[in-house]
Amino acid sequence: ISHKSSRIVWWGLKNGRNAVMATFEMTPTDSEAPRKVDESCTVDTLSLAMAGETVKVDTKYGPITVTVCGDAKKPALLTCHDIGLNHRSCFQGLFMCAGPESRLLKNFCVYHIDLPGHEENATEVPAELLPVTVDKLSDMVDKVMKHFEISECMGLGVGYGAYVLTKYATTFPGMVGLIAVTPLYNKPGWHEWGNLKAATYQLWYGGLSNWVREYIISRLVHNGMMNQASDLTQAYRKDLSARPPRVLMHYLQAAMTRSGLQAASLKSQVLMFVGDKSPFKEESLDMNTSIASHGALVLIDGAGTVTTEERPQEMINPIDLFLQRLEQQGFGV
């Protein structure tokens, strides 16, 4: 995996307007260079971060599957994936790259949330959840917190999953910090809305066509990686082909009908990663504008939405620094 540079950008208010206050380029030659990955420990790390107890939590909107990895006595880290993925296909690259000695694994018990219909061997979305909305999903996240008796947690979400966790954090107390990876934030523009409308129509009447599959993948990775037929895009094509078309339809409808969030009321400390080739770059930056007083932004060059799989090595150092800051405030020690 090549180590391309990433830009950490701190934002603040200047003359009453949001502005870039400082920019730091992270490259392998910097004193804070990205940590080298110990290839010998990746298998053990994957087992530690992904293989755990699978628990179905009952809610009024149907069951939701949670995979618990680690010591439940440690502080909680909740993850939530993007549409069409699950916790493995969305986060295993990041956790493998982090390694067992990183704060991300060493300091937390990880609770991987699979959105209903995305869990392994799923066949449908619970009828009680239809139509899928962010309000229902954030309420389900709250039920997960209560089921495991978690009073405070860290959140890690990608794309629509980051949208769900942001909504949760603005509605319920308890999320101390949030790592938001290219989050959805605004209601869809006309171009996205039109594509989503066409995709849901095809999924309803004809199943998963090649165009719909490629459209979903284009929401996840940048076009250059799609054109290169990378291992990641090939794996995503295989996973999407095995997923029930109606499940994808319901979640794309949820994305199509989403409303804009009001992150100004967000109390959590936020670390945001944004792939500069993601179709959702601009709305992620809009969210960052709303949380300029307590958020940091990392722009990752040449990446799409799911930087946790495309460029995980560029996320490790900023995450460690972010968690170190929260440790100094008494969380995640």
Side-chain angles (χ1 to χ4, degrees):
I1 302 174
S2 63
H3 290 282
K4 296 183 69 175
S5 66
S6 60
R7 303 192 299 276
I8 303 179
V9 182
W10 281 269
W11 296 73
L13 294 178
K14 184 176 182 180
N15 298 326
R17 301 183 65 181
N18 189 57
V20 176
M21 306 302 289
T23 302
F24 175 65
E25 294 283 345
M26 285 184 59
T27 71
T29 58
D30 291 319
S31 59
E32 292 292 336
R35 183 186 313 135
K36 293 182 179 179
V37 180
D38 182 357
E39 298 293 343
S40 65
C41 73
T42 55
V43 175
D44 290 339
T45 301
L46 183 60
S47 177
L48 179 65
M50 294 290 148
E53 180 187 5
T54 300
V55 180
K56 285 193 176 293
V57 178
D58 291 326
T59 78
K60 65 181 179 180
Y61 300 117
I64 186 169
T65 300
V66 183
T67 303
V68 183
C69 304
D71 184 355
K73 295 179 182 178
K74 293 183 178 181
L77 170 66
L78 269 63
T79 74
C80 193
H81 56 84
D82 205 352
I83 294 172
L85 305 180
N86 57 32
H87 74 275
R88 284 183 174 273
S89 57
C90 193
F91 296 109
Q92 67 179 1
L94 175 63
F95 282 101
M96 284 180 66
C97 193
E101 295 305 312
S102 68
R103 286 182 173 87
L104 195 62
L105 280 176
K106 186 171 63 175
N107 290 18
F108 294 95
C109 179
V110 184
Y111 297 81
H112 293 296
I113 295 174
D114 282 328
L115 297 174
H118 289 77
E119 68 273 17
E120 189 174 353
N121 299 320
T123 58
E124 60 186 2
V125 177
E128 301 92 333
L129 183 57
L130 300 179
V132 178
T133 68
V134 69
D135 292 313
K136 294 176 183 177
L137 292 172
S138 64
D139 186 75
M140 295 180 90
V141 172
D142 185 56
K143 296 303 184 291
V144 169
M145 292 276 287
K146 291 176 179 176
H147 177 87
F148 292 104
E149 299 181 344
I150 300 169
S151 58
E152 290 185 332
C153 74
M154 167 73 63
L156 168 60
V158 176
Y160 190 81
Y163 177 74
V164 171
L165 292 185
T166 302
K167 176 64 175 180
Y168 168 80
T170 60
T171 308
F172 299 95
M175 187 161 287
V176 176
L178 174 62
I179 302 171
V181 182
T182 323
L184 303 186
Y185 182 66
N186 301 326
K187 65 180 182 179
W190 284 111
H191 180 73
E192 184 193 359
W193 187 92
N195 282 328
L196 287 168
K197 187 69 173 180
T200 54
Y201 182 89
Q202 289 191 28
L203 285 165
W204 177 263
Y205 289 103
L208 183 68
S209 67
N210 286 338
W211 178 84
V212 173
R213 184 187 63 195
E214 295 306 295
Y215 170 65
I216 295 174
I217 293 175
S218 74
R219 296 174 64 90
L220 303 173
V221 303
H222 73 286
N223 288 334
M225 181 167 285
M226 291 180 66
N227 295 335
Q228 295 168 7
S230 67
D231 290 343
L232 180 62
T233 55
Q234 296 287 39
Y236 282 174
R237 288 186 178 105
K238 182 178 179 180
D239 289 348
L240 287 171
S241 296
R243 200 167 296 285
R246 292 294 175 90
V247 170
L248 296 172
M249 182 198 72
H250 289 307
Y251 280 92
L252 291 182
Q253 281 183 331
M256 182 176 68
T257 58
R258 72 181 186 271
S259 58
L261 296 178
Q262 298 297 324
S265 61
L266 191 65
K267 304 300 182 183
S268 310
Q269 296 293 316
V270 180
L271 173 62
M272 189 180 301
F273 293 92
V274 179
D276 75 339
K277 301 300 183 183
S278 170
F280 308 111
K281 174 185 174 181
E282 293 304 321
E283 62 183 277
S284 295
L285 295 180
D286 286 345
M287 175 175 167
N288 187 74
T289 300
S290 298
I291 56 170
S293 63
H294 54 282
L297 171 67
V298 181
L299 293 173
I300 299 186
D301 293 331
T305 299
V306 190
T307 63
T308 49
E309 294 296 316
E310 286 192 70
R311 297 288 169 78
Q313 73 280 1
E314 297 183 30
M315 299 177 64
I316 304 305
N317 276 16
I319 288 175
D320 267 3
L321 292 172
F322 180 66
L323 296 179
Q324 182 180 9
R325 178 180 178 181
L326 289 178
E327 280 182 13
Q328 294 169 354
Q329 298 174 0
F331 179 77
V333 180

